[in-house]
Amino acid sequence: MIVTTRHEAPPEVQEQARTFACKFGVRFVERKKMSIARLHEMSDYILVVTDNGLRAYSKGTSEPFFFHPGMAMLRIKRLLNGDTDVMVQACGLRKGDSFLDCTLGLAADSIVASFVVGAEGRIVGLESERIPGIIVEEGLKRYESPLQEAQEAMRRIEVVPMHHLTFLRQCENNSFDIVYFDPMFFQAIVTSESIAPLRPFANYESLSLAAIEEAKRVARRRIVMKNHRESPDFENFGFMRFKKMERAFTYGIIEVGGEAE
Ligand SMILES: C[S@@+](CC[C@H](N)C(=O)[O-])C[C@H]1O[C@@H](n2cnc3c(N)ncnc32)[C@H](O)[C@@H]1O
């Protein structure tokens, strides 16, 4: 990965880019008049610092990857209007809960969870891949939303750039109410426009039994998995399917604390 700026960036943006490069231990390249294609001759992954945040370009794709809250805004608006949210129901989420998101991605699910658990709750989002981790952490800190509740929910999320198995192994028993997984496995064949730009940067590992076993120790109430409804992981890992959904994906639940709603 290399870090650069937009064309003709002002000194403060240049400085920010140098600071990022230093923080992540990667090379800073002065943009000058170079195109993205020219920069790709130096690296497959390019992180561009602009006045509006970070953009990542992967070799072979034309669309940049940048942070946006996607469907989270609409889901929060619906919850504010008294509607339900299937993920919130599947997790049995309530105010004050702690929620460990083992597959942060663009953080849409974490933002919704953060809104529901409120300031008394806690949301930790794990992302194993460097570029999505950087872009989403920065986006959650800086994205300005017209919806105050959504913006506050974003700011409360703690991003940890770590593989979930490593993190779970370090957790105390019963340290999160809910442990949540939404792996890329199978997602690649589902039309999901909001996560399309994330694809070249994501981790496609399937869930491991080791991670599920650790999650059983770490979760106080439930482990929840979102996956394609044809995924064999529901049966392989002993998830109970939440309810029939019209969509290509569904949720599975493993109750660990006997506090089912
Ligand atoms: C389908 S996306 C998650 C989408 C997310 N739920 C949302 O609402 O935006 C899966 C994300 O999990 C990350 N991931 C996959 N395996 C992981 C692992 N073992 N540890 C941490 N992150 C992982 C991928 O890189 C990807 O960014």
Side-chain angles (χ1 to χ4, degrees):
M1 174 170 77
I2 55 173
V3 177
T4 188
T5 62
R6 70 158 167 90
H7 286 293
E8 292 169 15
E12 60 277 16
V13 174
Q14 302 251 13
E15 191 46 44
Q16 209 190 340
R18 281 179 206 278
T19 309
F20 266 119
C22 195
K23 182 171 164 193
F24 302 117
V26 296
R27 200 169 129 212
F28 167 77
V29 175
E30 232 183 287
R31 183 69 186 262
K32 296 184 180 149
K33 299 241 178 283
M34 279 188 279
S35 65
I36 294 292
R38 169 77 187 85
L39 288 161
H40 271 144
E41 288 168 17
M42 293 177 222
S43 174
D44 287 352
Y45 298 105
I46 299 160
L47 193 64
V48 181
V49 182
T50 77
D51 319 46
N52 302 320
L54 304 175
R55 283 165 189 267
Y57 293 81
S58 155
K59 202 170 193 164
T61 55
S62 52
E63 289 304 304
F65 168 51
F66 56 90
F67 175 77
H68 65 86
M71 288 296 285
M73 306 297 281
L74 188 62
R75 290 166 66 189
I76 291 177
K77 279 186 194 154
R78 285 192 187 139
L79 286 166
L80 283 167
N81 288 335
D83 287 349
T84 53
D85 181 275
V86 190
M87 181 209 75
V88 173
Q89 283 183 317
C91 294
L93 266 185
R94 44 204 194 213
K95 228 181 189 41
D97 277 350
S98 50
F99 178 89
L100 177 62
D101 185 346
C102 288
T103 48
L104 183 68
L106 271 162
D109 290 331
S110 270
I111 297 168
V112 174
S114 175
F115 165 74
V116 173
V117 306
E120 310 94 279
R122 183 179 181 212
I123 308 287
V124 176
L126 310 177
E127 175 56 58
S128 60
E129 301 313 293
R130 205 173 193 195
I131 291 181
I134 296 169
I135 293 220
V136 173
E137 183 174 19
E138 278 298 305
L140 289 168
K141 270 192 221 153
R142 301 195 200 291
Y143 189 86
E144 307 253 334
S145 168
L147 192 61
Q148 184 70 13
E149 291 89 341
Q151 184 163 309
E152 287 169 9
M154 287 181 215
R155 302 292 188 267
R156 289 193 296 265
I157 298 169
E158 300 166 43
V159 176
V160 181
M162 199 183 277
H163 191 288
H164 57 231
L165 185 56
T166 312
F167 186 88
L168 284 163
R169 283 185 170 143
Q170 295 170 7
C171 288
E172 305 267 323
N173 292 354
N174 304 317
S175 45
F176 286 89
D177 292 301
I178 310 295
V179 177
Y180 180 72
F181 296 94
D182 174 14
M184 296 295 287
F185 184 51
F186 266 118
Q187 289 256 3
I189 56 164
V190 179
T191 312
S192 172
E193 275 320 302
S194 60
I195 66 156
L198 168 69
R199 289 205 183 111
F201 303 97
N203 178 347
Y204 283 81
E205 262 174 76
S206 46
L207 280 188
S208 66
L209 183 60
I212 301 295
E213 287 306 318
E214 286 295 330
K216 285 182 186 163
R217 188 182 61 71
V218 171
R220 225 179 339 250
R221 288 208 318 267
R222 275 182 192 180
I223 305 169
V224 176
M225 177 181 71
K226 177 182 170 188
N227 216 324
H228 191 281
R229 62 180 176 209
E230 304 296 333
S231 168
D233 283 356
F234 290 106
E235 283 69 39
N236 288 349
F237 297 131
F239 282 92
M240 195 182 71
R241 280 166 197 264
F242 178 57
K243 60 181 177 189
K244 273 211 159 33
M245 285 177 54
E246 299 303 308
R247 312 259 256 321
F249 63 84
T250 190
Y251 296 88
I253 298 169
I254 298 176
E255 295 288 358
V256 286
E259 269 197 66
E261 284 180 18

